[in-house]
Amino acid sequence: MFHHVSKFVLRVGLTAGALTAFALAAAPANAQIKVGFQAPLTGFAAADGKSAMIAAQMAIDEVNGAGGVVGQKLELVSYDDQAKPDQAIFTANKLIGEDGVKLVVNASYSASGRAAAPIFQKAGVVMIAAYGVHPDITTAGDYMFRLVHLGPPQGEATALFIGKTLHLKRYPSGQ
C-alpha cells in the first residue's frame, strides 16, 4: 500500500516538477531531464528512504514508459542525506553543482528539508518535499513545494481522532 500511494504522489510531483523545471531551463530535444532525489538511505530512517527511492524509480520508469516529459526522458539522481541536515546541505550542493538538476524531490524528514530548501531556492531549483511537514520548508521561497499536509494540522487531527475514538483527554499516566 505504501509503495502504491508513494508512487502516485511522487509521480504527480515528478511530472509537475519536471514540467516546471523544463519551462525554467529549456533543454534540447531528446535530452534527459535529471531529477534529484534526497532520502535517508542509511541510518535510522533507511527503511523509509529506501522505500521512497523504490517508489521514485517506479514513478520515473512509468513517466518514461509513457514517453517522458515533453518528449524527454527523466533520470533519477539519488543521494543519501541520512536524515541529517548537514548531509542534506552537502547533497543539495552536489545535486546543483555536479549534477545540474533543476528539480529535486526531498523524500526525507523535515530537518533535512529545512536545511536543503534555502540552498535550492537560491539556485533556482524546484524542490518538492514529499514527506517533510515543517512549515519552514515551503516558506524558504517560491521554488519550494510540498506534497503532504503541514505538521500542526496533522497533530490536531490525530489528537481529535484519539479523543473521539479512545475517549482520552490526555495521555494516561503510568504508561
Side-chain angles (χ1 to χ4, degrees):
M1 176 67 172
F2 178 75
H3 285 295
H4 179 69
V5 172
S6 293
K7 188 176 106 174
F8 173 75
V9 167
L10 289 171
R11 182 178 59 224
V12 170
L14 287 170
T15 302
L19 287 170
T20 303
F22 180 78
L24 295 172
N30 299 321
Q32 286 193 316
I33 300 171
K34 291 183 178 182
V35 177
F37 187 79
Q38 292 179 300
L41 303 174
T42 60
F44 77 93
D48 292 341
K50 288 176 183 175
S51 180
M53 190 166 95
I54 290 167
Q57 188 59 59
M58 289 170 69
I60 292 279
D61 293 345
E62 188 170 323
V63 170
N64 285 342
V69 176
V70 194
Q72 296 186 34
K73 300 292 183 184
L74 301 180
E75 175 188 349
L76 192 64
V77 181
S78 302
Y79 289 111
D80 178 11
D81 73 5
Q82 302 170 18
K84 296 179 180 175
D86 62 332
Q87 288 300 309
I89 291 169
F90 173 75
T91 60
N93 283 314
K94 194 169 181 177
L95 285 164
I96 294 164
E98 289 181 28
D99 300 305
V101 301
K102 298 295 178 196
L103 166 68
V104 171
V105 174
N106 181 284
S108 196
Y109 296 157
S110 290
S112 298
R114 289 174 64 196
I119 294 165
F120 290 124
Q121 177 64 33
K122 183 176 180 183
V125 172
V126 174
M127 182 182 102
I128 299 171
Y131 303 110
V133 297
H134 198 283
D136 287 353
I137 294 171
T138 50
T139 60
D142 56 352
Y143 287 93
M144 304 297 111
F145 300 91
R146 125 181 25 261
L147 297 177
V148 294
H149 293 288
L150 293 173
Q154 285 187 37
E156 290 173 17
T158 302
L160 181 64
F161 175 79
I162 289 170
K164 286 186 173 188
T165 305
L166 302 177
H167 308 290
L168 296 175
K169 293 187 180 184
R170 60 187 183 105
Y171 193 73
S173 60
Q175 293 186 13

